[in-house]
Amino acid sequence: MRERRLAMFEEIDLKREYTLDEEISIKAEIDELGDRFAQLQQRLKKAGIPVIIAFEGWSASGKGSLIGKLLKYLDPRGVKMYSITSPSDEESRKPYMNRFWMKIPGRGEIAIFDRSWYHDWMTSGKESHSKDIEVFERQLTDDAYVIFKFFLHITKKEQSKRLNELEASKATKWRVSAHDWKQNKAYAVCKEEYDFMLEKTNFEYAGWNVISGMERDVALKEVLETVVKRLEKLCRKVEKDGIHSIEGRGIPVSKMDFELVRKPLIQDVSLDCTLSEKEYHKRLDKLQDKLLKLSYKLYKKKIPLIICYEGWDAAGKGGNIKRMVSCFDARDYDVNPVAAPDSYEKARQYLWRFQKNLPKTGHIAVFDRTWYGRVMVERLEGFNTETEWKRAYNEINEFEQELMDWGAIVVKFWLQIDKDEQLARFRERENNPAKQWKITDEDWRNRDKWDKYEVAVNDMIKYTSTKDAPWHIIESNNKYYARIKAIETVVDAIESRLS
Amino acid sequence: MRERRLAMFEEIDLKREYTLDEEISIKAEIDELGDRFAQLQQRLKKAGIPVIIAFEGWSASGKGSLIGKLLKYLDPRGVKMYSITSPSDEESRKPYMNRFWMKIPGRGEIAIFDRSWYHDWMTSGKESHSKDIEVFERQLTDDAYVIFKFFLHITKKEQSKRLNELEASKATKWRVSAHDWKQNKAYAVCKEEYDFMLEKTNFEYAGWNVISGMERDVALKEVLETVVKRLEKLCRKVEKDGIHSIEGRGIPVSKMDFELVRKPLIQDVSLDCTLSEKEYHKRLDKLQDKLLKLSYKLYKKKIPLIICYEGWDAAGKGGNIKRMVSCFDARDYDVNPVAAPDSYEKARQYLWRFQKNLPKTGHIAVFDRTWYGRVMVERLEGFNTETEWKRAYNEINEFEQELMDWGAIVVKFWLQIDKDEQLARFRERENNPAKQWKITDEDWRNRDKWDKYEVAVNDMIKYTSTKDAPWHIIESNNKYYARIKAIETVVDAIESRLS
C-alpha cells in the first residue's frame, strides 16, 4: 500500500472569507467549468473511461445539494447517482463490498456516490473494511476506472448552525437524525477518527480531496476544478494512446502477499485411479447423506460455500457437478454456468459478473467455469492484454481472500484428463446422438492448443493455490473416481471448518 | 378470462393403495420418464422453449423432496430453482409480481418454483392478486412460455402425521412452523379456500394439476408424466413449425378491457406554440421549486412516479429530461436510457427489462424511450411478428394498469416535431462539433421511414391512451415550450393524485 502523506484537515482553511468580487469571479469560473464538464461527459463516453465520484463528509456539510448541482451539467443518460444508507437485508447477507461492486459504472459512464463504501467507517468511527476498500479502489483503478473521493469539511459551529436551520423548517426537519447531533457533540473525537481514515486510505491511485464546505459555491468550484482538470488530462491521454495507457500494472506474482501451497504440474499427476461402478454407488449413497447433513449445518451457521469447477473440455464437469449438487437441498444452492460475458458485463471490471452471483450467507454457489477464465481462455485467445492477465493472479487471490474473510468456504477443482482420454470422449460424443450437443468446433480448436493451455493451467495452479483456497486436482480419467473425490474434498473442507 | 371447470380436489383419490407389483411398475415408469425428461432438457434448449414449473400444496405435502428428485434428472446448468418465502424489504417496495417477473427463465431454460406467485393467496387464505396472476401467466404463455402448476394434496390426518414426524427429529424440527399447524387445524376451511383459488386460476393456458401427495413415488410419477408428455409434444411442434407456432395471439385491440381517451392524430397537432427564453426561465424557476416540493410529498407518501418519454429523433427528449430531473432530489430518481436489448434481455419476455428497472415506492423512474419500442421500432424493423406487436397494445395497457394499481403515477410523453424541424436539427447537429455525437446514420434511415412511423405512432397513441395513463402530445418545435409543458403535466398529475 503506497501512500502519500497529506496534512489532511490541517491544510484546509475554514475561516477564509470572500469579497463580493471574488464571489462573482467564482460564479463565472463555475459556469465555465460546468460547460467543460458537460462536454467531457461525451469524451469520456467515446474514450470508454468509467468514472466514480464519491462524497463523504460531515453531516449537513452540503453533499446532497452539491451533487444535485453537479448532476445538472450532465446528460442523465450516462450517469447514475447512488445514495448510500444502511444495507438492506439482502445486502447484509453478501460481503461488505458487494453492494458497491454492484454499482460500479460501465465504461464511459459516471457513478456518483452520496456517502460510499466508507459508510461503516464513517458511522462507527472505527476502522472498518480498510483492506477490502484498498483492494476495491486499486483493482478498479488498475482497470482504468477513475476514482474521485471528496470529503466535505465544516466547523463544529457551522454544523450545529445548519442542523438547527434544517430542524427549524417543517420541510427539512426529517433530514436531521440523532446520529447527526451525536456527531456534532463528539466533533473533536470524530475529527480525529476521520483524519485517521483519510490518511489511511489516501492511496496514490485514489487520493482524498478534502474540501471546505463552508461556502457552497467555493466547494462546487473546487470539486468541478478537480474533476474537470484530471478528466481532461486523462481523456487526452486515452484519445492519443488508448484506454490501456491509463491502466495500472497491479501487483505482480513476485510481490503477492499470499502464502502459496505447492502443487504438482498437471501433466505429472497419475491418472490411473479408478473405482468400480458398484463401489461408486455404495460410496456415493453414503456421501450424499453426509454432505446433505453438513450442508444443513452450514445453513444454520450461515456459512456460505463456493465450489469452483475448471477442467479440460470433456473432463466431466457437468456430470461431476450434477452429483455434487444432488447432495444438497434444492433450496440451498445455485449453479452458475459461465459463458462469454455479455455486453453489460464486458463494460465492467471482469470480477463484476462473479460478484453478481455470489451466494447469500448459508447458501451454496457452484461455478461451472469461473473467474479463472481471465488467466486461461482470455489469456490464450488474446481477449485481454499481458498486463491484464498478469495482474489477475493477485486480483483473484484478493477476491477469494475477501470471500473467506467474509466467512465463505472456497473449494476449487481442476478436472484433469489426458489427451487420449479427451479424444476418446470427443469421438464418443460425436457418435452418440444424445451427446452431440456437447461437442462443438470450438472444442476441437481448444484441443489443438493443448500445450499452451497446459502452461496456462500450471501457472494458474502455481500462483493461486493459496493456503486457504488451494487447487484440488481431480484425476478424472475415471468419472466415478473423480466424482467421489470431489465430493469427499468438499466434505473435508466443511468438516475442517466446522471443527 | 377463459376457464375450464374441473372438480379440483374432488377427483383426487387420496385413499388409493398400491400393491407391491404396482409399486415396482411405478418405479420402472419413473426411471423411464426421468431419462426422457433429461433428454428433453436438451431439446428444449435447442428449441428455445422456456419452461416454468410451480409447486404449491399443503405444508408437508412433499414439495421439497419431489423437486429435489426432479432436479436430479436435469443438467443443473439450464435450470434454476426458487424457494419462495416472504418478500425482502427491497422486494416489498416493488409491485407484487415483480419478484416473480425477475425470476422468469430465459428461452430454453427451466425455472422450478417451490411455492410461487400464489404465496400470498396460499398463506392468507384470501383471494390475492388474482388479476395480476392472470396477466402474468397469460402474457408469458402468449410469448411461448410453458407453465406447469402442481398442487400437492394430502389428507388432514396424513399432514398431522408428517408434521409430528418432522418435529420428532432434531434434524427436521426447525422445518415445522406455527403456520403449518394452524393450516392443519383449519384444514377444512383452507381446503375450501384453496379449491376456490384453484378453480379461479385454472386457466386454459396454465391449468392446475392437482396431484395426490400421499405416496411420494406416485406423485413423482404423475408430475414427470404430465411434464414429459406435454413438453415432448411441444418440442415436436416447435421443431417442425418454429417457436411462434406455440405462441398465443393474446387479446386484440378490439377486445381490450380498457377505457380509452381520444387523442388527435400527431400530424394534426399545431406546433406553433412558443415561449420566449425570458419567460421560459421565469416559469422554469417557479416550476422547479414546486415540483421539488411535490416530489418530497411523493417520497413521504411512498408513491412511485414513472415518466415515459417517446418522440421523434431530435425532438429534444434529452434536454427535456434534463430539465425535468433537475426538479428532483438527486437521491430520488433514476433515468433509464433504453437501447436495443442485450442477449440476456432478448432471451426473456420483452417487458422483463422494464420490470427490472421499476422504481421503488416513493421513487421516480424516467424512461428515455420505453416498452413502446415493441409497437414502434420493433414493429417497423421487423424485429417481431405481427402477432407479437398486435397483442402488445393490450399487454402494455395491462402492464401500466398493474403499476397504477400498485400505486404508481404513470405519465407518458410523445414529443412531436414536424419533418422540417427535424431536418433543421439534424443539419445543426452535423455542423456543430459538440453535437455531432448525437446524429448517426440510423437517424437518417429512420427519417426516410417518417410516414410509416407516423402510422405506428398514431396506432400507439390510439390504443394505449387509457383513462389513467393517456399519452400527452408535447408540441416540441419550440424546446422552451415543450419543457415547460412536460413539467406542468407532471405537476398536474401529482397534484391530482394528492388531492
Side-chain angles (χ1 to χ4, degrees):
Chain A
M1 202 168 76
R2 297 166 299 172
E3 295 175 13
R4 73 191 141 101
R5 264 199 83 83
L6 254 196
M8 305 301 291
F9 285 129
E10 286 61 26
E11 273 190 357
I12 309 303
D13 178 8
L14 296 183
K15 304 244 164 84
R16 170 90 202 265
E17 294 195 357
Y18 296 84
T19 64
L20 190 60
D21 275 359
E22 280 177 317
E23 274 174 26
I24 291 168
S25 117
I26 285 167
K27 278 205 202 306
E29 279 184 83
I30 288 175
D31 285 346
E32 190 256 347
L33 287 163
D35 279 351
R36 280 158 70 190
F37 192 31
Q39 284 163 35
L40 259 172
Q41 192 184 6
Q42 302 311 323
R43 282 172 77 187
L44 291 169
K45 196 173 162 186
K46 222 168 166 181
I49 304 176
V51 178
I52 294 172
I53 311 178
F55 289 89
E56 290 288 353
W58 298 94
S59 298
S61 59
K63 295 186 293 295
S65 74
L66 199 153
I67 291 171
K69 282 175 199 152
L70 276 188
L71 284 171
K72 292 193 185 178
Y73 300 112
L74 299 174
D75 181 342
R77 288 171 288 194
V79 60
K80 287 256 181 202
M81 188 275 193
Y82 300 101
S83 189
I84 302 299
T85 53
S86 299
S88 68
D89 295 356
E90 194 79 6
E91 288 168 340
S92 16
R93 299 189 62 181
K94 297 283 172 85
Y96 176 73
M97 292 304 291
N98 182 259
R99 62 179 178 136
F100 305 107
W101 272 102
M102 287 303 90
K103 295 178 175 65
I104 62 172
R107 311 209 178 276
E109 295 171 359
I110 301 173
I112 299 183
F113 287 83
D114 182 356
R115 304 188 181 279
S116 68
W117 43 98
Y118 291 94
H119 180 271
D120 271 21
W121 202 333
M122 288 290 296
T123 47
S124 70
K126 303 244 160 1
E127 183 168 351
S128 180
H129 300 283
S130 51
K131 178 71 190 157
D132 300 340
I133 288 172
E134 187 224 317
V135 167
F136 177 72
E137 295 184 4
R138 175 167 37 72
Q139 290 199 2
L140 288 179
T141 49
D142 280 347
D143 193 42
Y145 278 72
V146 182
I147 300 178
F148 293 94
K149 301 190 294 192
F150 290 100
F151 188 100
L152 285 188
H153 186 28
I154 50 175
T155 59
K156 180 175 183 176
K157 208 171 133 193
E158 178 72 14
Q159 187 183 37
S160 88
K161 190 182 128 214
R162 291 188 189 179
L163 291 175
N164 277 320
E165 276 166 13
L166 285 170
E167 278 193 338
S169 152
K170 236 178 111 177
T172 53
K173 208 174 148 184
W174 58 277
R175 287 173 54 190
V176 180
S177 69
H179 174 267
D180 298 334
W181 279 117
K182 224 171 112 185
Q183 193 191 54
N184 188 254
K185 298 232 152 58
Y187 185 92
V189 180
C190 286
K191 189 173 167 191
E192 218 167 282
E193 308 272 13
Y194 295 161
D195 190 64
F196 174 72
M197 179 189 88
L198 294 170
E199 285 226 40
K200 173 116 191 180
T201 59
N202 192 32
F203 310 118
E204 197 181 333
Y205 41 84
W208 280 101
N209 300 284
V210 182
I211 300 248
S212 163
M214 299 294 282
E215 298 283 340
R216 290 176 194 272
D217 276 349
V218 178
L220 176 60
K221 194 211 80 178
E222 288 201 24
V223 168
L224 274 171
E225 203 164 32
T226 310
V227 170
V228 166
K229 287 196 173 159
R230 180 149 163 237
L231 289 182
E232 280 179 345
K233 208 170 130 194
L234 288 168
C235 277
R236 275 195 299 274
K237 197 161 158 67
V238 171
E239 281 154 8
K240 194 166 150 275
D241 302 321
I243 188 74
H244 293 305
S245 68
I246 62 163
E247 273 183 22
R249 306 194 65 80
I251 295 176
V253 290
S254 59
K255 295 202 173 152
M256 286 194 304
D257 189 20
F258 287 96
E259 191 179 334
L260 298 178
V261 176
R262 277 196 75 155
K263 294 276 166 179
L265 297 176
I266 51 171
Q267 60 269 39
D268 293 344
V269 171
S270 159
L271 297 175
D272 297 339
C273 334
T274 60
L275 206 62
S276 71
E277 192 177 344
K278 199 179 146 193
E279 179 68 10
Y280 164 69
H281 284 296
K282 211 176 100 189
R283 288 175 67 178
L284 184 62
D285 280 350
K286 276 197 190 159
L287 280 168
Q288 282 182 325
D289 275 355
K290 197 166 178 181
L291 191 46
L292 179 64
K293 278 180 195 141
L294 286 171
S295 76
Y296 280 132
K297 287 192 183 159
L298 293 182
Y299 183 80
K300 276 199 203 161
K301 287 182 187 286
K302 295 203 182 295
I303 299 172
L305 169 61
I306 297 169
I307 306 176
C308 309
Y309 278 88
E310 291 284 358
W312 295 104
D313 289 328
K317 285 194 298 295
N320 203 306
I321 289 171
K322 200 165 158 177
R323 274 65 181 194
M324 179 69 72
V325 300
S326 75
C327 301
F328 302 130
D329 187 313
R331 286 164 292 198
D332 289 351
Y333 72 86
D334 252 323
V335 176
N336 301 286
V338 176
D342 67 27
S343 57
Y344 194 87
E345 294 167 337
K346 251 186 226 158
R348 284 159 178 79
Q349 205 263 15
Y350 70 100
L351 289 171
W352 182 87
R353 62 183 182 134
F354 304 105
Q355 285 279 356
K356 187 166 168 273
N357 288 314
L358 292 181
K360 290 187 291 192
T361 52
H363 281 249
I364 300 162
V366 178
F367 286 91
D368 180 2
R369 302 195 188 276
T370 66
W371 38 94
Y372 285 97
R374 191 72 172 173
V375 294
M376 289 199 296
V377 58
E378 289 187 31
R379 165 185 173 179
L380 292 176
E381 302 293 337
F383 297 154
N384 58 30
T385 64
E386 195 177 327
T387 315
E388 284 176 323
W389 65 259
K390 281 198 167 165
R391 68 167 185 257
Y393 299 107
N394 179 65
E395 287 168 340
I396 286 173
N397 285 340
E398 288 178 329
F399 169 59
E400 292 176 2
Q401 189 58 53
E402 202 167 318
L403 296 177
M404 291 184 291
D405 291 344
W406 165 54
I409 302 172
V410 178
V411 185
K412 306 187 299 208
F413 294 123
W414 173 261
L415 267 51
Q416 175 65 9
I417 53 173
D418 58 38
K419 230 177 148 177
D420 292 344
E421 180 66 24
Q422 188 187 50
L423 186 63
R425 292 187 188 179
F426 278 13
R427 293 249 163 87
E428 198 223 329
R429 287 179 176 190
E430 287 189 323
N431 297 328
N432 181 342
K435 288 192 175 176
Q436 271 165 12
W437 62 273
K438 283 186 164 185
I439 180 119
T440 64
D441 289 349
E442 208 191 320
D443 294 327
W444 287 106
R445 280 196 301 274
N446 288 341
R447 182 176 165 80
D448 289 340
K449 298 181 194 156
W450 182 282
D451 294 347
K452 285 186 180 166
Y453 267 97
E454 205 166 66
V455 171
V457 173
N458 281 321
D459 280 351
M460 170 184 89
I461 291 175
K462 183 173 172 189
Y463 296 126
T464 60
S465 281
T466 53
K467 205 176 129 281
D468 294 321
W471 281 95
H472 298 276
I473 301 172
I474 303 289
E475 302 84 346
S476 302
N477 269 13
N478 178 289
K479 290 184 178 183
Y480 296 141
Y481 178 87
R483 291 169 189 169
I484 296 296
K485 182 167 173 183
I487 296 176
E488 280 177 345
T489 306
V490 171
V491 165
D492 286 351
I494 300 176
E495 282 182 337
S496 94
R497 160 63 69 87
L498 293 177
S499 74
Chain B
M1 201 167 77
R2 296 165 301 172
E3 293 177 15
R4 71 192 143 101
R5 264 199 81 83
L6 253 194
M8 305 303 290
F9 286 130
E10 287 62 26
E11 271 190 357
I12 309 303
D13 178 8
L14 297 182
K15 304 245 164 82
R16 170 92 200 263
E17 295 198 355
Y18 295 85
T19 65
L20 190 60
D21 274 0
E22 280 177 319
E23 275 173 25
I24 291 169
S25 118
I26 285 167
K27 278 203 202 308
E29 278 182 84
I30 288 175
D31 285 346
E32 190 255 349
L33 286 163
D35 279 351
R36 279 158 69 189
F37 192 31
Q39 285 163 34
L40 258 173
Q41 191 184 6
Q42 302 311 323
R43 280 173 77 187
L44 290 169
K45 196 173 162 186
K46 224 170 165 180
I49 304 176
V51 177
I52 294 172
I53 312 177
F55 288 89
E56 292 288 352
W58 298 94
S59 299
S61 59
K63 292 186 295 293
S65 74
L66 198 154
I67 291 171
K69 281 174 200 153
L70 275 189
L71 284 170
K72 290 193 186 178
Y73 299 112
L74 298 175
D75 182 341
R77 287 172 290 193
V79 61
K80 287 257 180 201
M81 189 277 194
Y82 300 101
S83 189
I84 302 301
T85 53
S86 299
S88 69
D89 294 357
E90 195 79 6
E91 288 168 340
S92 10
R93 299 190 62 183
K94 298 283 172 85
Y96 176 73
M97 292 305 290
N98 182 259
R99 62 178 177 137
F100 305 107
W101 271 102
M102 287 302 90
K103 295 178 175 64
I104 61 170
R107 313 212 175 274
E109 295 171 359
I110 301 173
I112 299 183
F113 288 83
D114 182 355
R115 304 187 181 278
S116 69
W117 43 97
Y118 290 93
H119 181 271
D120 270 21
W121 202 333
M122 288 290 296
T123 48
S124 70
K126 303 244 161 2
E127 182 168 352
S128 180
H129 299 282
S130 50
K131 177 70 189 158
D132 301 340
I133 288 173
E134 188 223 317
V135 168
F136 177 72
E137 296 183 3
R138 175 166 38 71
Q139 291 199 1
L140 288 178
T141 50
D142 280 346
D143 193 42
Y145 278 72
V146 181
I147 299 178
F148 293 95
K149 303 190 295 193
F150 290 100
F151 188 101
L152 285 188
H153 185 28
I154 51 176
T155 59
K156 179 175 183 175
K157 208 171 136 192
E158 178 70 15
Q159 188 185 36
S160 90
K161 192 183 127 210
R162 290 188 188 179
L163 291 174
N164 277 319
E165 276 167 13
L166 285 170
E167 279 195 335
S169 153
K170 235 175 112 177
T172 53
K173 207 175 147 183
W174 58 277
R175 288 174 54 192
V176 180
S177 70
H179 173 266
D180 297 336
W181 279 117
K182 222 170 112 185
Q183 193 189 55
N184 188 253
K185 296 232 155 59
Y187 185 92
V189 180
C190 287
K191 192 173 165 191
E192 220 167 281
E193 308 270 13
Y194 295 160
D195 189 63
F196 173 71
M197 179 189 88
L198 294 170
E199 286 223 42
K200 171 117 191 177
T201 59
N202 192 33
F203 310 117
E204 197 182 334
Y205 42 83
W208 279 101
N209 300 283
V210 182
I211 299 250
S212 163
M214 300 294 281
E215 298 284 339
R216 289 177 193 273
D217 277 348
V218 179
L220 176 61
K221 194 211 81 179
E222 287 200 25
V223 168
L224 274 171
E225 205 164 30
T226 309
V227 170
V228 166
K229 286 195 175 160
R230 178 148 164 237
L231 289 181
E232 280 179 345
K233 207 170 130 194
L234 288 167
C235 277
R236 273 195 301 275
K237 195 159 158 72
V238 171
E239 282 153 8
K240 194 165 149 278
D241 302 320
I243 188 73
H244 293 304
S245 68
I246 63 163
E247 273 183 22
R249 306 193 66 81
I251 294 176
V253 291
S254 59
K255 294 199 175 157
M256 286 195 305
D257 189 18
F258 287 97
E259 190 179 334
L260 298 177
V261 176
R262 275 195 76 155
K263 294 276 166 180
L265 296 177
I266 51 172
Q267 60 270 36
D268 293 345
V269 171
S270 158
L271 298 175
D272 297 338
C273 333
T274 60
L275 206 62
S276 71
E277 191 177 344
K278 200 180 147 194
E279 180 69 10
Y280 164 68
H281 283 296
K282 210 175 101 191
R283 288 174 67 177
L284 185 62
D285 281 350
K286 276 196 191 161
L287 279 168
Q288 281 181 327
D289 275 356
K290 194 166 180 182
L291 191 47
L292 179 65
K293 277 179 196 142
L294 286 172
S295 77
Y296 281 132
K297 285 192 185 159
L298 293 183
Y299 183 79
K300 277 198 202 162
K301 288 181 187 287
K302 296 203 182 295
I303 298 172
L305 169 63
I306 298 169
I307 306 176
C308 308
Y309 278 88
E310 292 285 356
W312 295 104
D313 289 328
K317 284 194 299 295
N320 202 307
I321 290 172
K322 201 166 158 175
R323 274 65 181 194
M324 179 69 72
V325 300
S326 76
C327 301
F328 303 130
D329 187 314
R331 286 164 291 198
D332 289 352
Y333 73 86
D334 252 322
V335 176
N336 301 286
V338 176
D342 68 27
S343 57
Y344 194 86
E345 294 166 338
K346 251 186 228 158
R348 284 159 178 79
Q349 205 263 15
Y350 70 99
L351 290 171
W352 182 87
R353 63 183 181 132
F354 304 105
Q355 285 278 356
K356 187 164 167 274
N357 288 316
L358 292 181
K360 290 187 289 192
T361 51
H363 281 250
I364 299 161
V366 178
F367 287 90
D368 181 2
R369 301 193 189 278
T370 65
W371 38 96
Y372 285 97
R374 190 72 170 172
V375 293
M376 290 199 293
V377 57
E378 288 186 33
R379 164 184 174 180
L380 291 177
E381 302 293 337
F383 296 155
N384 59 30
T385 63
E386 195 179 327
T387 314
E388 284 177 323
W389 65 259
K390 282 199 167 166
R391 70 166 184 256
Y393 299 105
N394 180 65
E395 287 168 341
I396 286 173
N397 286 340
E398 288 178 329
F399 170 59
E400 292 176 2
Q401 188 59 53
E402 202 167 318
L403 296 177
M404 292 185 290
D405 290 345
W406 165 55
I409 301 171
V410 178
V411 185
K412 306 187 301 207
F413 293 123
W414 173 260
L415 268 52
Q416 174 67 9
I417 53 174
D418 58 38
K419 231 177 148 179
D420 292 343
E421 180 65 26
Q422 189 187 50
L423 186 63
R425 292 189 187 177
F426 278 13
R427 292 249 163 89
E428 196 222 330
R429 288 178 176 189
E430 285 189 326
N431 296 329
N432 182 343
K435 289 191 175 177
Q436 271 165 13
W437 61 274
K438 283 184 165 187
I439 180 120
T440 64
D441 290 349
E442 210 191 319
D443 294 327
W444 288 105
R445 279 197 302 275
N446 289 342
R447 182 175 165 79
D448 289 340
K449 297 183 195 153
W450 181 283
D451 294 346
K452 283 187 183 168
Y453 267 96
E454 207 166 63
V455 170
V457 172
N458 281 320
D459 280 351
M460 170 184 90
I461 291 176
K462 181 173 174 190
Y463 297 127
T464 62
S465 281
T466 52
K467 205 176 129 280
D468 295 322
W471 280 95
H472 298 275
I473 301 173
I474 304 287
E475 302 82 348
S476 301
N477 269 13
N478 179 289
K479 288 183 179 183
Y480 296 141
Y481 178 87
R483 290 169 190 168
I484 296 296
K485 180 166 175 184
I487 296 177
E488 280 178 344
T489 307
V490 170
V491 166
D492 286 349
I494 300 176
E495 282 182 339
S496 94
R497 162 62 69 86
L498 293 177
S499 72

